Structures are given as structure tokens and as C-alpha cells.
């Protein structure tokens, strides 16, 4: 029987460290008298301390060494029912958490899957067959905190709620609307909802998801573009929680069959917060999503948006044109509105009349006339634009071009001496032109009015507090068709308290700036495909999203994994 490979050899095989780096770490290990088991643990700690690997890479290597599956607890939804099969004190003592159940089998995520004492203890108290899984210690700790260690205020609120009359456990008769309204106004329910919102704001979340599931309710926050589980709440509290949110956001609590929208203005920690609330009926009840808009946050300037120097010069040249249409493209949540506000701030002056049409007005800009559309009252983007043109504007910002009518009016405004700014949902800058054609806009009108398009995506930035260098395997980057320097040095975050072990902190943008010059206009009139327009734009000096991302990777701003996460495969 072949001897099991040591952890250092496996880390080399997986490409996480080099042989030279392993030998240096071995010298440190050999200087310490220790057992083989302790040497394995010591090797991992030494490599992490040297900045050569992170906690997740070590866990993946341990999983491979012992042929035990690795799981990323940050990307799975834990069942409250399953997780609580093992008591909290046992989970904390042995650094483990139940992650699944299959008959009499219990799957346990462990930092040390070879801890036979922990496995035996869990088997004795549960009477189940225990199968270990490997996870990082920090992820296990975070999962334990989510399941058991919610802050004391939330615990107190939940305990008080359980003692309230009227709330029925699962399987009991449904609570009536009038009684539900009364329960939703009770202090414990009010407190719980307020705490969910307050914690999200303090964690810099942009969205709160309250998702009913078969046996519980998952509360999730979107931070730096990614969702993570914040806590699990007992299922029978769902009607009271959703009713409370509906009441304060101006929705109809009696209507549960159709989606609804609402708004909650509030102040948290001295910040003026505006919550845009949306409900959606699902098979397990109404899901609630709250978009958090921090009105007190400082608006960014163009120099803070993450433009590379040459791209920013092109972009500033475009926005300083006296008339024409400029489009910012990208998916929802890619920072398009933030870029538009930065442009408005730069262009705003007493000599100019700036008017915006938005849905919603996210931030108030001094000196800018901002209009919020109201479709129920007949105030649409198209109707607002028609009225704005009679208000003697110099610069018009349209929150989004959603239909051909809005597109036609915006283009006519650009053709009649106005600078028009707006957004579109397309994958890259050249695709904005074909999207307008698909809307029914004549190519010659697009060529005459469009002066520039910028596509963008948001990526997480490497945490500056735990940022380290590493040398990647060139072969792993060969498929990207990029110019990769020999002996290239890249950067990553190891994970620390500041970034909660994620290795990332904050976000920046990737940009693809396409100036519409005569060569592009000719292709537009000839109805050329977006790929042909893209090739011409690249000849003109446009840096694609992937190329912009690679430049930021080389500068140590973000990682290649982040760039590939947000850039469409068509870019590769």
C-alpha cells in the first residue's frame, strides 16, 4: 500500500506553493520537535504565516490528502433543523457544524476531519453515523455564530416573540389579518425587523433577502456584490415579519398572491437610509427583498470610480462634448447609476441647466433638477422626457432606456443640441449599438447621435490589510489570450479580521470605454455586427472589460478570479 502523501507535497501538486517554498517551510518545521500529526498542523500554520497559502487552500489540500470532500460553507444554505442536531457547546469545542442529513447519516463540516474524539462524541450524542467534511475554521466559526450566536438583542427579541399570544407554530390554524396586524405592531416583532435592517446597514450590505423555506426563514445580506447568510429564523414567524415590513413600507398586508413594491425612509446610526422593498409570492410564502440606499453616503467623483488613466482621459473627453448621447451599460448592480451621478457632479455648474428622470431618485444633487417617475400617475420616462425638452435643458440624464419610445426621444434630444446621459442593459459597449437597432432605432440616427458608450462591472478589491504576493502558474492563465509577462507576480488576500476572512474588502469597477468616431459610425450605418464594431473599437484603442480587469490584477487591485466571475464568457 502506497504511503499517503504529505500535506506539503499535495500543496505543491495543487499549484498553491512551489518546491522551493515547501523546502523553506520544512526547515522551520524540522527545527521544532513534534509528532507527525503536529507537524502537519504546524506546516499549514507556517505556510499561512509566510503568506504562501490561505486557509481555504490548506483545507482543500487536507481534503485531498484524506480523500474527504471539501465544502465552502460561505456558499451553502445551512438548515437550522439539521445544524441544531449537535449542541452549540459541542460545535464550538470541536470546531464543527452539521451540514446535512441522509437517513441515519449525519454530515459534519470540520476544521480537523481526523479528530476521532470529536467524531465519536457526535456519534454518541446523536446516535447517528458521522461522515466528516472539510471546511475552513473561520467559515465553521461564522456558521456556528449564524446558527447559535446571533447577537443577544436578536436572541432576546426572538425569545419575547415566542412568548407572544397569537403566533401559531407550524401546522396550526393561520392567523387572521386583523390579529396579524396587531402582532406586527408588537414591540418584539418591531425590534426584530429593526435589528435585521440595522445589522445589514452596519455590514455595508446593499440588499437584504428574507427567504421563506420549507422549515425556516433565511435572512441573507448582499455585501460587496455577493450574498451571504446572516441568520436563520423559525418558519412560523414569517407572517409576522413580512406583515411588519409591509406595514412600514406602505403595502397591503392582506394581499399575498401578487408582487408588491414599497419604500421605507429611516435613519440608522445618523445615516439617512431609503429602503426599496419588493415582495414576491413563492411556494413557501412571500419573499422580501430590500434594496438599501444610503442617502448620506458620499458620492464618488470620476477619479474615484476606478478608471485606468488612459480610459479616464477618453471618458472625460466624451462627457465634455456639448451635445450627443452617452450610454453606460452593464447588468443590474454594476454601478451604472453611481457613474452617472459622478458625471453629473463633474458637469454641474451655474451656467448649465441639468435635469434628470429617475426611478427612483437615489441621491439628491444640489443644483440638479431631479424628477422621479410615477407610472401609476402616468409619469413615465417617455412622458417626462417630452416635458423636460420644454424646460430649456443643457444636460439630460435618463435613468434607463427601457423601450423604443424612450430611446427615440432621447436620441432626438441628443440631435437637437442636448447632452443626454442614460443606461442600457448590455454585456459590453459595442452591444449597446445593436441593442438600439433591435429597439427599432434607425442606424443613421444612432450614428448621428451616439458619441460614447462605457460598459462596466463591479469586482471586489483585495483586502489591503492581508494582501500578499504570489507567483501563478502561467499555464493556468494561457486560455485568456492576454499578454502575460514572464515571472509575473500577482496578489491575493489571505483573509483577516478586517475582511472577515474573505480576502476582499470593498469594490471597484472594470470599464470598457468606446468612443464613437467616424470609423465606428460607418460600421453602424452599414448595420455591422457588434463583434465587427468591437474589433474596430479595439483597433482604435479601446480596452475590453477583460483587458481592463487584467490591468487591475497586475496592479494588485483585484484578483483574476474576481475578473472571471463578472466578465461574460463572450469576453474570453
Amino acid at each position: 500500500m502506497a504511503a499517503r502523501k504529505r500535506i506539503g507535497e499535495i500543496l505543491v501538486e495543487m499549484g498553491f506553493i512551489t518546491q522551493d517554498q515547501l523546502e523553506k517551510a520544512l526547515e522551520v518545521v524540522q527545527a521544532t520537535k513534534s509528532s507527525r500529526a503536529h507537524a502537519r498542523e504546524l506546516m499549514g500554520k507556517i505556510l499561512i504565516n509566510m503568506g504562501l497559502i490561505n486557509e481555504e487552500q490548506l483545507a482543500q489540500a487536507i481534503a485531498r490528502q484524506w480523500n474527504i470532500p471539501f465544502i465552502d460553507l460561505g456558499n451553502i444554505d445551512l438548515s437550522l433543523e439539521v445544524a441544531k442536531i449537535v449542541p452549540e457547546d459541542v460545535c464550538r469545542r470541536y470546531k464543527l457544524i452539521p451540514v446535512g442529513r441522509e437517513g441515519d447519516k449525519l454530515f459534519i463540516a470540520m476544521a480537523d476531519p481526523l479528530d476521532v474524539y470529536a467524531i465519536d462524541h457526535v456519534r454518541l450524542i446523536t446516535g447517528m453515523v458521522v461522515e466528516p467534511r472539510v471546511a475552513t475554521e473561520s467559515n465553521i466559526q461564522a456558521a456556528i455564530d449564524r446558527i447559535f450566536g446571533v447577537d443577544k438583542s436578536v436572541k432576546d427579541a426572538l425569545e419575547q416573540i415566542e412568548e407572544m399570544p397569537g403566533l401559531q407554530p407550524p401546522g396550526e390554524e393561520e392567523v387572521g389579518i386583523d390579529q396579524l396586524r396587531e402582532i406586527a405592531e408588537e414591540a418584539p416583532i418591531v425590534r426584530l425587523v429593526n435589528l435585521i435592517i440595522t445589522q445589514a446597514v452596519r455590514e455595508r450590505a446593499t440588499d437584504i433577502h428574507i427567504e421563506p423555506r420549507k422549515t425556516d426563514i433565511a435572512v441573507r445580506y448582499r455585501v460587496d456584490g455577493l450574498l451571504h447568510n446572516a441568520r436563520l429564523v423559525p418558519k412560523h414567524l414569517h407572517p409576522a415579519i413580512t406583515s411588519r415590513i409591509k406595514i412600514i413600507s406602505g403595502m397591503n398586508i392582506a394581499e399575498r398572491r401578487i408582487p408588491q413594491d414599497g419604500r421605507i425612509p429611516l435613519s440608522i446610526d445618523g445615516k439617512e437610509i431609503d429602503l426599496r422593498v419588493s415582495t414576491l409570492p413563492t411556494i413557501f410564502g412571500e419573499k422580501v427583498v430590500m434594496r438599501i440606499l444610503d442617502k448620506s453616503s458620499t458620492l464618488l467623483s470620476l477619479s474615484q470610480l476606478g478608471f485606468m488613466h488612459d480610459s479616464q482621459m477618453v471618458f472625460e473627453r466624451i462627457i465634455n462634448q456639448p451635445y450627443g448621447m452617452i450610454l453606460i451599460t452593464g447588468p443590474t448592480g454594476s454601478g451604472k447609476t453611481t457613474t452617472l451621478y459622478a458625471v453629473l457632479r463633474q458637469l454641474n455648474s451655474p451656467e448649465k441647466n441639468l435635469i434628470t428622470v429617475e426611478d427612483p431618485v437615489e441621491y439628491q444633487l444640489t443644483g440638479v433638477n431631479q424628477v422621479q417617475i410615477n407610472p401609476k400617475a402616468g409619469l413615465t420616462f417617455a412622458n417626462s422626457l417630452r416635458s423636460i425638452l420644454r424646460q430649456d435643458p443643457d444636460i439630460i440624464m435618463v435613468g434607463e432606456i427601457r423601450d423604443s419610445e424612450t430611446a427615440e426621444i432621447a436620441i432626438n434630444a441628443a440631435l437637437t443640441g442636448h447632452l443626454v446621459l442614460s443606461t442600457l442593459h448590455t454585456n459590453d459597449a459595442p452591444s449597446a449599438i445593436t441593442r438600439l437597432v433591435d429597439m427599432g432605432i434607425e442606424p443613421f440616427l444612432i450614428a448621428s447621435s451616439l458619441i460614447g458608450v462605457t460598459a462596466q462591472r463591479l469586482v471586489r478589491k483585495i483586502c489591503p490589510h492581508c494582501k500578499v504576493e504570489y507567483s501563478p502558474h502561467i499555464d493556468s492563465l494561457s486560455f485568456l489570450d492576454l499578454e502575460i509577462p514572464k515571472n509575473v507576480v500577482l496578489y491575493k488576500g489571505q483573509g483577516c479580521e478586517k475582511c472577515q476572512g474573505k480576502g476582499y474588502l470593498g469594490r471597484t469597477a472594470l470599464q470598457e470605454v468606446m468612443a464613437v468616431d467616424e470609423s465606428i459610425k460607418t460600421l453602424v450605418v452599414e448595420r455591422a455586427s457588434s463583434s465587427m464594431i468591437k474589433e474596430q473599437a479595439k483597433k482604435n484603442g479601446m480596452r475590453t472589460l477583460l483587458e481592463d480587469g487584467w490591468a487591475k490584477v497586475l496592479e494588485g487591485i483585484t484578483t483574476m478570479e474576481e475578473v472571471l466571475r463578472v466578465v461574460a464568457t463572450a469576453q474570453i
Side-chain angles (χ1 to χ4, degrees):
M1 181 175 170
R4 192 180 300 276
K5 292 183 179 179
R6 296 191 177 189
I7 195 70
E9 295 176 69
I10 292 172
L11 286 165
V12 172
E13 283 182 1
M14 296 178 76
F16 294 149
I17 60 173
T18 64
Q19 187 64 39
D20 288 344
Q21 291 169 336
L22 172 61
E23 289 173 4
K24 289 178 182 177
L26 280 170
E27 291 175 6
V28 180
V29 173
Q30 289 166 359
T32 306
K33 292 182 180 179
S34 57
S35 65
R36 181 170 180 178
H38 183 248
R40 173 177 58 82
E41 181 182 354
L42 189 61
M43 170 63 77
K45 288 181 178 178
I46 288 170
L47 289 169
I48 289 175
N49 291 337
M50 291 173 69
L52 300 176
I53 61 170
N54 57 35
E55 192 183 7
E56 183 174 318
Q57 290 169 331
L58 177 60
Q60 289 175 353
I62 292 171
R64 182 165 169 177
Q65 183 184 30
W66 296 99
N67 197 26
I68 298 173
F70 168 82
I71 59 172
D72 182 357
L73 290 179
N75 290 327
I76 65 171
D77 291 328
L78 294 180
S79 165
L80 184 65
E81 181 183 1
V82 172
K84 287 196 171 182
I85 289 175
V86 178
E88 178 183 358
D89 63 321
V90 176
C91 290
R92 292 193 183 279
R93 187 189 318 165
Y94 295 115
K95 298 171 185 174
L96 56 83
I97 189 78
V99 294
R101 179 179 184 174
E102 191 177 291
D104 65 344
K105 285 184 182 179
L106 186 65
F107 302 103
I108 302 284
M110 307 178 67
D112 182 3
L114 305 182
D115 189 342
V116 292
Y117 297 106
I119 294 172
D120 285 345
H121 194 156
V122 173
R123 186 175 66 247
L124 286 171
I125 62 176
T126 62
M128 303 176 73
V129 177
V130 176
E131 288 199 10
R133 300 288 185 264
V134 183
T136 64
E137 185 176 326
S138 59
N139 275 354
I140 290 172
Q141 188 62 53
I144 293 172
D145 289 340
R146 286 201 304 270
I147 301 299
F148 302 103
V150 295
D151 56 75
K152 190 173 184 301
S153 297
V154 174
K155 275 189 174 181
D156 292 344
L158 289 171
E159 288 172 2
Q160 292 172 21
I161 290 169
E162 293 298 335
E163 297 171 1
M164 289 169 53
L167 277 178
Q168 304 296 330
E172 298 292 331
E173 185 178 346
E174 189 174 338
V175 180
I177 295 300
D178 292 337
Q179 188 180 6
L180 197 55
R181 191 185 299 275
E182 291 179 9
I183 293 170
E185 297 287 0
E186 293 284 345
I189 289 291
V190 172
R191 189 178 176 197
L192 176 61
V193 172
N194 289 347
L195 286 167
I196 289 172
I197 296 171
T198 300
Q199 183 184 354
V201 172
R202 289 174 178 170
E203 288 191 18
R204 303 181 298 108
T206 55
D207 300 87
I208 304 169
H209 290 237
I210 299 176
E211 302 176 347
R213 304 188 298 191
K214 189 173 182 178
T215 58
D216 52 33
I217 308 166
V219 179
R220 303 201 289 167
Y221 298 151
R222 187 180 294 279
V223 180
D224 289 339
L226 296 180
L227 280 169
H228 74 269
N229 291 328
R231 61 172 43 90
L232 298 173
V233 178
K235 180 64 183 283
H236 65 279
L237 300 185
H238 180 254
I241 292 172
T242 53
S243 296
R244 174 61 190 167
I245 294 170
K246 282 183 171 183
I247 288 171
I248 60 178
S249 59
M251 297 185 198
N252 180 4
I253 70 167
E255 182 55 77
R256 305 172 186 172
R257 300 165 299 173
I258 60 174
Q260 295 187 66
D261 295 308
R263 175 175 172 267
I264 308 172
L266 67 160
S267 178
I268 297 176
D269 297 338
K271 298 178 180 179
E272 293 300 318
I273 304 295
D274 197 12
L275 296 181
R276 303 291 168 162
V277 187
S278 171
T279 65
L280 180 71
T282 73
I283 59 173
F284 296 123
E286 289 179 287
K287 174 178 176 177
V288 179
V289 173
M290 292 180 272
R291 167 62 60 90
I292 302 172
L293 302 175
D294 184 356
K295 291 192 169 185
S296 63
S297 64
T298 304
L299 289 171
L300 300 179
S301 63
L302 279 181
S303 59
Q304 295 173 306
L305 292 179
F307 279 98
M308 301 301 287
H309 179 69
D310 53 347
S311 295
Q312 182 169 337
M313 290 180 64
V314 174
F315 187 67
E316 290 193 0
R317 188 170 70 246
I318 292 169
I319 66 173
N320 283 302
Q321 297 299 311
Y323 56 85
M325 184 165 71
I326 301 167
L327 296 176
I328 311 295
T329 77
T332 301
S334 59
K336 300 187 296 295
T337 303
T338 300
T339 298
L340 285 179
Y341 277 131
V343 173
L344 289 174
R345 287 186 67 198
Q346 178 142 330
L347 298 180
N348 191 10
S349 70
E351 297 81 23
K352 294 177 182 176
N353 179 20
L354 282 72
I355 307 179
T356 73
V357 188
E358 304 173 61
D359 180 28
V361 174
E362 295 189 11
Y363 301 97
Q364 296 178 8
L365 298 172
T366 304
V368 178
N369 304 284
Q370 295 172 272
V371 177
Q372 180 161 317
I373 70 166
N374 186 352
K376 292 181 180 178
L379 187 62
T380 63
F381 277 119
N383 291 341
S384 301
L385 263 176
R386 288 193 183 94
S387 300
I388 284 173
L389 291 173
R390 295 192 288 271
Q391 290 284 315
D392 186 32
D394 295 295
I395 299 171
I396 302 169
M397 190 268 269
V398 185
E400 183 183 345
I401 293 179
R402 297 177 179 174
D403 51 51
S404 57
E405 185 181 13
T406 305
E408 287 176 5
I409 300 170
I411 284 176
N412 285 332
L415 291 172
T416 53
H418 305 91
L419 185 65
V420 180
L421 312 169
S422 192
T423 68
L424 266 181
H425 289 283
T426 64
N427 286 332
D428 57 15
S431 298
I433 293 171
T434 52
R435 176 79 180 105
L436 291 173
V437 173
D438 290 342
M439 284 182 169
I441 307 300
E442 290 294 337
F444 73 90
L445 291 176
I446 300 171
S448 302
S449 59
L450 190 65
I451 59 175
V453 185
T454 296
Q456 66 180 56
R457 299 287 189 280
L458 293 181
V459 293
R460 292 180 294 172
K461 294 193 293 185
I462 298 171
C463 174
H465 306 285
C466 58
K467 181 177 176 180
V468 295
E469 296 181 356
Y470 76 99
S471 299
H473 284 275
I474 302 300
D475 292 344
S476 66
L477 301 173
S478 59
F479 75 100
L480 295 173
D481 192 27
L482 294 168
E483 290 187 13
I484 303 172
K486 290 183 178 180
N487 302 319
V488 62
V489 174
L490 302 184
Y491 304 84
K492 60 185 175 183
Q494 293 185 92
C496 63
E497 290 183 1
K498 298 283 187 181
C499 61
Q500 299 180 338
K502 297 175 182 176
Y504 297 97
L505 189 64
R507 288 191 290 178
T508 190
L510 309 183
Q511 291 99 353
E512 179 177 280
V513 183
M514 183 180 76
V516 180
D517 64 359
E518 290 303 320
S519 63
I520 300 291
K521 290 180 180 180
T522 300
L523 290 175
V524 173
V525 173
E526 293 173 352
R527 295 180 179 267
S529 66
S530 60
S531 59
M532 293 175 65
I533 295 172
K534 181 177 181 177
E535 286 305 312
Q536 183 59 50
K538 289 174 70 174
K539 290 178 183 177
N540 294 346
M542 181 188 80
R543 181 190 283 118
T544 67
L545 285 169
L546 180 62
E547 291 166 346
D548 192 68
W550 177 241
K552 290 181 169 76
V553 168
L554 291 176
E555 288 198 4
I557 297 170
T558 187
T559 64
M560 202 64 223
E561 290 80 6
E562 269 298 285
V563 174
L564 295 177
R565 181 178 66 84
V566 302
V567 174
T569 53
Q571 298 284 319
I572 299 171

